[in-house]
Amino acid sequence: RQAKRFVQSVTSNVARIGGTFALIAGAAAAPIAALRAMTGEMDNVSKAALRASMPTEAFSALAYAGELADVSMESLTTTMGRLARAQADAARSSTSQQAEAFKNLGIEIQNADGTLRESAAVFEDFADKFEKFGGTPEVVAAGMQIFGRSFQELIPLLSGGRAGLRDAMEEARAFGVVMSTEAGKQAEAFNDNNEYFAKIQPLL
């Protein structure tokens, strides 16, 4: 909403003062650049959440927890996407390697009605198992089977269990860095229509 109001303000000023717009160019250029950087980052998070098969709110909070544990957003996106696929594979075949991995850990991948559980909840379950059993061969093997070779990169994030994840995610909410799905879509739309800024760039 703030971004939208700022853009409306800029375009209104252009229409109203026309030739004198050059007088505020120095002041306007920096806010516009900052706005474009901000919406660009929001766009990245929104698209990453889609690739991770997670709601934007949950992914942005988890990404903050990952940052605290030195787990990059790119690594988190990849592994959460693999978790969602592993759940789907396990649901399709109870004899698959993924199904065996979840079964050995005692992690449910489906709700009572047969639908898949949210991957964020399954991830928290896995974090609890990792905290309890540590780096035992069984847990590591299950992690590799579910998350792929990048599993080891997740270890700092998993080590605190469910409580550690939730504490970090609650901190993200307290700091106001959790992004809503609506805000992510608005940022995507803003960047998709960024040609407007390219057209007025010579004026700035």
Side-chain angles (χ1 to χ4, degrees):
R1 289 193 296 269
Q2 289 176 334
K4 185 177 181 180
R5 286 197 296 269
F6 175 75
V7 174
Q8 289 173 336
S9 174
V10 171
T11 54
S12 176
N13 286 337
V14 171
R16 186 172 66 253
I17 57 181
T20 62
F21 183 68
L23 297 177
I24 63 169
I32 289 177
L35 178 64
R36 294 175 69 179
M38 178 186 69
T39 55
E41 183 60 25
M42 292 169 66
D43 190 0
N44 290 338
V45 173
S46 182
K47 288 183 169 64
L50 287 175
R51 292 193 295 272
S53 301
M54 292 179 65
T56 305
E57 291 87 349
F59 181 80
S60 59
L62 187 58
Y64 175 84
E67 184 178 348
L68 295 180
D70 293 326
V71 177
S72 69
M73 186 170 72
E74 291 76 12
S75 179
L76 191 62
T77 302
T78 300
T79 52
M80 294 305 293
R82 286 173 177 166
L83 172 58
R85 290 193 295 273
Q87 285 182 250
D89 290 342
R92 280 193 296 267
S93 173
S94 60
T95 60
S96 66
Q97 292 180 325
Q98 290 83 359
E100 286 295 322
F102 285 119
K103 181 179 179 181
N104 291 338
L105 292 173
I107 296 176
E108 294 291 339
I109 61 168
Q110 292 176 296
N111 297 307
D113 60 1
T115 58
L116 290 177
R117 294 177 63 205
E118 290 188 1
S119 55
V122 176
F123 189 74
E124 289 183 354
D125 286 349
F126 189 95
D128 267 353
K129 297 296 182 181
F130 188 86
E131 182 188 30
K132 181 178 180 179
F133 298 109
T136 61
E138 293 78 12
V139 173
V140 171
M144 296 287 284
Q145 190 61 58
I146 295 169
F147 299 104
R149 288 179 294 180
S150 59
F151 164 68
Q152 292 185 338
E153 298 177 24
L154 295 176
I155 291 177
L157 181 59
L158 296 166
S159 60
R162 183 194 313 271
L165 287 174
R166 290 191 173 181
D167 284 347
M169 293 168 74
E170 191 57 39
E171 183 176 294
R173 295 184 182 93
F175 287 163
V177 296
V178 174
M179 189 174 74
S180 69
T181 299
E182 180 184 2
K185 289 181 178 179
Q186 289 175 345
E188 289 186 50
F190 184 87
N191 285 337
D192 289 342
N193 291 283
N194 206 26
E195 293 180 1
Y196 169 77
F197 283 96
K199 291 179 180 179
I200 68 169
Q201 190 66 37
L203 297 175
L204 302 179

